Amino acid sequence: MHLLFYLSVLLLQIATAMALPLIRPNSIISSANLAISYVESCPHDTNTDETVTLFIHGLDSSSHTWRRVQQSLTTPTIAIDCRGCGNSELGGPDEFTPNALVADVKSVVDSHPLLQKKRFVLVGHSMGGRVAMCYAAKHPEDISALVIEDMDIRRREVNSNFIPNFDEAKALSFERLHPNLDSVKN
């Protein structure tokens, strides 16, 4: 009987040690006065000196895109819900621009204790890659590494877009072809 008890305690300790890091949802109020949501995964103490990874998802996606990646990393991570995605507020549709998204990311960086005054790894997927490039160009002092994943180099033709009432002018503001990093700053 005692052996069974000790075996169950040992199994519980092993399961706890192997548990996935806790994913915690949260939000901040951005400089544009919008609620911007994010989820964080901190496998260790939140006062860690470990490098944090900040994830930005693509268009028509959310922070959930990064959930399994966050759970697999042993360092702290934060995944943002860009405005109008996941649990974040949209604000005015005309304000859905690369510069506005960069300002939202900066609001999260400036308010989060794991990111404040620390350099972090910035990862962007698709549209999030464009936002990450713009952020890195405007705030290079914040970035220790930049990872762009699965981003189109050239904008797709309008006739290939299935979105009703597609606004080509707005899409042009997300042009992805740039001769160098400095050209992303504008």
Side-chain angles (χ1 to χ4, degrees):
M1 182 79 161
H2 288 350
L3 181 60
L4 184 59
F5 171 76
Y6 289 119
L7 185 57
S8 63
V9 168
L10 178 63
L11 288 174
L12 180 61
Q13 288 175 339
I14 291 171
T16 302
M18 294 176 60
L20 297 173
L22 179 64
I23 302 288
R24 293 184 294 258
N26 211 329
S27 67
I28 58 102
I29 300 299
S30 72
S31 58
N33 206 28
L34 297 175
I36 302 298
S37 297
Y38 61 89
V39 291
E40 62 183 38
S41 171
C42 297
H44 310 295
D45 181 14
T46 56
N47 295 324
T48 183
D49 286 332
E50 293 178 294
T51 301
V52 177
T53 303
L54 178 62
F55 294 101
I56 306 173
H57 62 79
L59 188 63
D60 295 331
S61 191
S62 72
S63 60
H64 190 74
T65 298
W66 301 107
R67 187 70 43 97
R68 291 207 180 202
V69 175
Q70 286 184 281
Q71 290 172 334
S72 69
L73 294 175
T74 59
T75 56
T77 64
I78 298 167
I80 293 176
D81 278 332
C82 292
R83 62 172 60 200
C85 301
N87 293 315
S88 291
E89 294 178 335
L90 173 61
D94 329 345
E95 297 165 0
F96 192 86
T97 66
N99 286 335
L101 294 169
V102 167
D104 294 342
V105 173
K106 185 62 172 163
S107 292
V108 172
V109 169
D110 289 346
S111 67
H112 199 289
L114 287 176
L115 298 169
Q116 291 171 335
K117 300 178 184 166
K118 295 180 184 175
R119 293 168 63 87
F120 55 88
V121 175
L122 183 58
V123 179
H125 169 255
S126 191
M127 178 202 74
R130 164 73 168 157
V131 175
M133 286 173 39
C134 291
Y135 186 93
K138 290 182 182 189
H139 306 287
E141 69 282 357
D142 292 348
I143 307 299
S144 63
L146 176 63
V147 179
I148 307 299
E149 191 263 331
D150 194 25
M151 187 180 91
D152 290 342
I153 297 299
R154 297 186 191 277
R155 185 177 56 85
R156 293 185 179 110
E157 294 299 319
V158 174
N159 60 6
S160 70
N161 197 319
F162 60 89
I163 299 172
N165 303 321
F166 181 72
D167 184 345
E168 186 173 5
K170 197 177 288 186
L172 288 173
S173 71
F174 274 91
E175 182 60 50
R176 297 170 178 97
L177 185 59
H178 296 277
N180 57 49
L181 187 59
D182 288 334
S183 69
V184 177
K185 292 179 181 179
N186 300 328

